[in-house]
Every structure is written in C-alpha cells, then in structure tokens.
Amino acid sequence: MKIYNTLTKKKEEFKPISEKQVGMYTCGPTVYHYAHIGNLRSYIMEDVLEKELRYEGYNVKRVMNITDVGHLSSDADTGEDKMLKGAKRENKTVMEIAKFYTDAFFSDCEKLNIKTPDVVEPATNCIDEFIGMISTLLEKGYAYIAGGNVYFDTSKLKEYYTLSSHNEEELMVGVRDDVDEDKNKRNKTDFVLWFTKSKFDNQELKWDSPWGVGYPGWHIECSCISSKHLGEYLDLHCGGIDNIFPHHTNEIAQSEAYFGHKWCNYWFHVHHLNDKSGKMSKSKGDFLTVSLLEQKGYDPIVYRMFCLQSHYRKPLEFSYEVLDSVAAGYKKLRNRIAKLDNSGETDRNLAAEYKQKFIEVVGNDLNTASGITMVYDVLKADTNDATKLFIIKDFDDVLSLNLTDGEVTEDMSASVDSDMEEYIMEMIEKRARAKKDRDFATADSIRDELAAKGIVLKDTREGTTYEIK
Ligand code: AMP
Ligand code: ZN
C-alpha cells in the first residue's frame, strides 16, 4: 500500500508499527448539525482507505471521536461554542442535540456504506483523561494558566509546524470564521487546553477540574481519545484538509510533548468538496445533506460513486449535472452485472490475478477511479460470468457500491446503451492517455471521431463526461 503522507509531503510505502494491527484514528463529526455531503466525502474516502487496508490483509483497529464539546466556531479558540449554537437554534439541551445529530450522522454513514469504526467515543466521556493529560503538560512546562484558562505554549516546541508549512496566509485558509485575538495567549499560535473563564457564562456542559469549573478545548480530545484506545504510537491519522491546521498541528504538539517522542507516522487528508461558492461548510447554512439527495430521488450510493470517481487529494466540485451522469452510469453498470449468470465454476486463478491488480491500482494512494474502471475491465474479460461476478463482489469489499445487488431490467435498449457506453468509455480513456503522453493530435482525432457520431465530450474538473446529441 502506498499512501501520500502529509507529514513528509511524499507518497510512501505504508509500514505499520506492528505486524499484528494497524492503529487508525479519524476525527469525527462535530454533532451540532447534520453532516453535509462535504464532510461525508472525507468519511467515504477514509472508509475506502480502511477497507483497502483490510483487503490487503491488515488487521485494522479504527477509532473515531464524536465532538460534543469544546469546538468553537473558529478553529482558533474564538467565536461561539458550536454545540451551544445548535442547542440555541433548536431550543434543546446540548446533550439532546448531540444525541440527535450523532444518530443522524451514523444513519447517513449507513446509507453510504461507511462502516462504523471499531471504537466510537464522545468527547464528554473522557473528561478525566483530558484533565490527566493537561496536568502532565503543565507539570512538564508545556502549558500555562492565564486569565483562568489553561493554554499550550507552542514556543516550547522545537518544531511546531511539523505538519504544515509555516505560511500564515496558507494556514489561515483552514481556520473558519472570525479570528479575534485572545490577550491571554503568550504566542499567537498557543491554544486552549481547558476553558474556565470564557465569554460563555451560559455554557451548559461544565466539569470540575484542578483549574476550576470549565470544559476542555477541542484539540485535546483527539490526542486523548486516540491514545486511550490505540496507545502512544499511532500508525495513521485521518481528516479533511481543513484539519491540518490548527487541529492536527495542535494534536501533534500536545501528544509529542506529553509522550516525549514522535507520535503518528502517516497523516491522510481528504481535499474538500466545494460548491459553486467555494468550500461546503455547516456554518454557511445552505448545505447539501444525504437526506436532501434522497428527497431529490438519488440513491445515496450514487454520491459514493461520485466521490470514488475522483482522487481524494483533488478538490471536487459538486454539480447535479455530474451526479446525474454518475447515476445513469451506475444504473447501467448494475444492470450489466445483474445479467451475469452465476452458474458455472469460478476461475480462482484469474480471480487472484485480478485481486493483485486491484491492490496495485487502488493500493496506489487510493486510485479509486481506476478501481471502478477495473470493474468494466472484468465485464469485458475472457472468462465465464460466475468468475466475473466473483471478482466484482470481491472488489466491492473495498468500493462498497452494492454492485452485485442490482436487478435485471429486460430493457433491450439497456444492452445497446451499455455497448455504446463501453465504446465511449474506451475512447475517453484512450484520449486521456494520449493527452498524458502529450500526443494532442491523437487526442483531437478521438474527439473528432466521437463528434462525427454525435457524441460530444466535455472536460470538467472531475474528468471527461459526454453528451449524445
Ligand atoms: P466537522 O464536523 O466540522 O468537525 O468536520 C468533520 C470532518 O469533515 C472533518 O474531517 C473535516 O475536515 C471534514 N470536512 C469539513 N468540510 C469539508 C468539505 N467541504 N469537504 C470535505 N471534508 C470536509
Ligand atoms: Zn480531531
């Protein structure tokens, strides 16, 4: 398995610390609202990563937190508490809000075939662990008390920006909403470990601590919850790219100061889903949810396929136009698979060859789009239907697109369509290869050949689509 590691900014061979188990940690949702389909892009791609690791034979233990306290509307410790904002909006208690949106999150995950992590831990379960870690950070001189709050002192580290480049402007891209200055901080990048005095007198969730009644900062929860379940050495940590700074940068600072050694080896970050006005975010108000897609008649798995057709390290722009074309392709693909006849003997040798090829493709920094192309290759392979079905089912352990659950529709046009589609897809691939080799004459002649048949190609950021005139 090769994976792009944000820490080294290189694609690297994945080598877990122990042969026995891969420790994988995922930043979970802040449960003050529904997850939008942008958040879910991150969880879909992290799900594929986990399943690919399992497919390659690794025994994965995956842990996820649920942020139900401490996440303020700016990631840099300012603004309103998100949970409180949700409770006010709906006239409910914070705990009611947390329960409702945690359930909604897992219901969305189920619809998208996202496996629930082995351990899911809400932050409010771990207050004693947070207090323990903060106390040690104070004892070791990495933290200080100011204005009643406890802060992490980033100047005490030799290298604070291990994960991100030291470029303020670039870093602030990840920081959401307003950024007011906190006069208690000794250094601009210091962050809160424990709030006692804050501007939220109405903070509903408060706990006793050696520093007074208060509540934890957001970053400490992931350092604590991950080490509680996965120990002091972590293989793999995931999140969306907005988590790189400050959240993951601060997690590294706390954990490495606490343990006194390097903590996590691989950092996996999923690029954002954008809409026309930019990054999709919960604070913007008008965001897309799985329920909304369902109301519009889409099978949520079509959205999963939409995500898998693009590389996780590229921004992805959502459009109904592209989603419609994915939905049509998905329907045809499942129809073709449903028509396969499962009688006959499976060619296990061929299946093993395909499995190896799939690992080379998808295990190469999660090239999921080529993984889907391999399904089409299997359909064209020179073997019997039972073998094809066996291989596709096997690939679907990773892709999780319900590829073999479709029903046969005896629509003759479907088979004509699928031949046509196969031809177009082949031509699109050939053209992409030609363009990559800078053979623009061939690329143009393929475009012209298709245009002569009334098939017009359109190059979008998500790849090439087509329209039949
Ligand atoms: P939150 O619920 O805001 O804590 O975010 C949950 C996860 O979604 C985090 O890993 C974020 O990095 C990720 N995320 C937030 N917005 C987007 C987006 N527009 N596209 C992809 N991932 C996102
Ligand atoms: Zn986190």
Side-chain angles (χ1 to χ4, degrees):
M1 172 103 195
K2 287 198 190 77
I3 190 172
Y4 181 86
N5 186 356
T6 313
L7 193 61
T8 56
K9 298 183 179 57
K10 276 199 286 248
K11 194 153 88 173
E12 292 176 355
E13 196 65 48
F14 178 71
K15 291 194 191 105
I17 299 156
S18 152
E19 292 287 307
K20 286 195 204 114
Q21 183 177 277
V22 171
M24 177 173 179
Y25 184 81
T26 302
C27 288
T30 309
V31 283
Y32 73 112
H33 217 320
Y34 290 107
H36 54 65
I37 59 172
N39 301 126
L40 291 160
R41 178 191 189 196
S42 287
Y43 295 111
I44 288 171
M45 301 317 292
E46 291 160 1
D47 179 68
V48 179
L49 174 63
E50 176 188 350
K51 287 175 178 165
E52 176 61 26
L53 285 166
R54 291 185 192 274
Y55 188 78
E56 295 190 19
Y58 292 104
N59 172 28
V60 182
K61 179 173 176 189
R62 179 148 176 222
V63 177
M64 184 199 269
N65 66 307
I66 298 288
T67 300
D68 54 0
V69 68
H71 194 174
L72 307 191
S73 55
S74 152
D75 292 352
D77 302 331
T78 59
E80 207 176 354
D81 180 304
K82 292 189 181 203
M83 293 303 297
L84 212 64
K85 190 169 154 185
K88 262 200 249 163
R89 185 188 61 229
E90 298 184 22
N91 213 8
K92 292 196 180 126
T93 65
V94 166
M95 277 310 150
E96 281 167 348
I97 289 287
K99 162 102 183 69
F100 180 84
Y101 289 112
T102 302
D103 291 348
F105 172 73
F106 285 111
S107 152
D108 285 346
C109 286
E110 201 180 326
K111 288 175 188 163
L112 292 164
N113 285 348
I114 298 170
K115 180 182 166 294
T116 303
D118 303 292
V119 178
V120 176
E121 179 99 70
T124 49
N125 267 9
C126 303
I127 302 299
D128 288 346
E129 282 94 341
F130 304 155
I131 291 175
M133 193 177 255
I134 298 167
S135 304
T136 305
L137 290 173
L138 276 163
E139 276 160 30
K140 287 187 157 190
Y142 284 106
Y144 60 92
I145 300 171
N149 297 329
V150 186
Y151 292 86
F152 187 93
D153 186 347
T154 51
S155 71
K156 291 279 155 65
L157 296 171
K158 263 197 233 113
E159 231 191 321
Y160 170 61
Y161 294 103
T162 42
L163 199 56
S164 39
S165 57
H166 188 164
N167 175 336
E168 294 281 323
E169 220 166 274
E170 224 177 81
L171 295 175
M172 284 335 230
V173 171
V175 180
R176 296 173 255 198
D177 303 329
D178 59 308
V179 183
D180 328 323
E181 227 183 294
D182 179 345
K183 299 274 185 306
N184 295 322
K185 292 185 183 181
R186 289 183 192 163
N187 311 289
K188 206 170 162 193
T189 45
D190 291 355
F191 54 92
V192 179
L193 297 166
W194 187 267
F195 291 94
T196 53
K197 294 268 179 352
S198 73
K199 47 189 170 177
F200 319 116
D201 290 336
N202 53 349
Q203 176 71 19
E204 219 179 281
L205 298 178
K206 291 177 199 172
W207 295 264
D208 219 355
S209 84
W211 320 288
V213 175
Y215 60 99
W218 172 40
H219 316 296
I220 195 77
E221 66 178 80
C222 288
S223 286
C224 272
I225 294 173
S226 109
S227 59
K228 178 177 172 186
H229 299 285
L230 297 166
E232 58 183 88
Y233 293 92
L234 181 63
D235 286 307
L236 182 56
H237 194 310
C238 318
I241 49 155
D242 57 313
N243 283 161
I244 297 175
F245 185 86
H247 185 49
H248 290 167
T249 304
N250 292 350
E251 279 187 47
I252 295 175
Q254 294 161 155
S255 298
E256 299 197 348
Y258 179 79
F259 293 124
H261 57 70
K262 185 177 173 190
W263 167 52
C264 175
N265 288 337
Y266 298 88
W267 288 84
F268 174 88
H269 289 107
V270 180
H271 219 294
H272 282 150
L273 179 84
N274 299 314
D275 54 23
K276 291 220 159 49
S277 61
K279 183 197 151 204
M280 197 169 287
S281 81
K282 288 184 207 176
S283 54
K284 270 203 214 160
D286 54 341
F287 54 78
L288 292 172
T289 59
V290 167
S291 311
L292 195 78
L293 293 185
E294 279 181 305
Q295 278 164 30
K296 288 181 184 281
Y298 295 99
D299 175 349
I301 298 301
V302 167
Y303 178 64
R304 185 177 172 107
M305 175 123 162
F306 172 91
C307 291
L308 264 55
Q309 280 186 340
S310 135
H311 197 257
Y312 77 92
R313 277 199 290 124
K314 284 191 188 146
L316 177 58
E317 188 169 312
F318 180 80
S319 82
Y320 282 109
E321 205 187 5
V322 179
L323 194 68
D324 284 338
S325 101
V326 174
Y330 179 62
K331 193 171 158 197
K332 281 178 198 154
L333 177 62
R334 289 219 314 174
N335 196 36
R336 284 177 71 184
I337 296 167
K339 283 181 182 157
L340 297 175
D341 171 10
N342 199 17
S343 56
E345 213 172 302
T346 308
D347 181 345
R348 298 279 171 156
N349 289 334
L350 190 70
E353 272 173 39
Y354 268 97
K355 185 175 179 114
Q356 198 44 46
K357 221 166 127 195
F358 188 84
I359 288 175
E360 276 161 32
V361 167
V362 181
N364 183 6
D365 198 26
L366 242 51
N367 189 347
T368 46
S370 296
I372 293 173
T373 306
M374 278 193 70
V375 177
Y376 289 96
D377 293 344
V378 172
L379 285 168
K380 284 183 284 179
D382 184 16
T383 185
N384 65 6
D385 283 3
T387 306
K388 291 180 187 177
L389 255 180
F390 181 89
I391 298 170
I392 292 171
K393 251 195 187 126
D394 187 53
F395 290 177
D396 215 25
D397 284 350
V398 177
L399 303 173
S400 295
L401 293 170
N402 300 341
L403 291 175
T404 55
D405 299 353
E407 282 175 17
V408 186
T409 41
E410 283 311 327
D411 174 6
M412 283 313 287
S413 64
S415 71
V416 175
D417 274 353
S418 63
D419 289 346
M420 174 66 113
E421 168 140 25
E422 200 172 302
Y423 161 73
I424 299 169
M425 294 317 278
E426 259 171 34
M427 296 303 269
I428 288 176
E429 264 173 48
K430 239 185 182 171
R431 178 169 165 265
R433 270 199 302 273
K435 276 170 87 176
K436 207 169 160 200
D437 297 340
R438 309 193 67 75
D439 178 2
F440 298 110
T442 306
D444 287 346
S445 78
I446 293 171
R447 175 190 281 270
D448 296 345
E449 187 183 326
L450 289 172
K453 295 184 170 125
I455 302 154
V456 181
L457 298 186
K458 271 205 240 171
D459 293 316
T460 71
R461 276 166 65 178
E462 286 70 48
T464 305
T465 59
Y466 66 89
E467 220 173 88
I468 299 179
K469 297 275 178 198

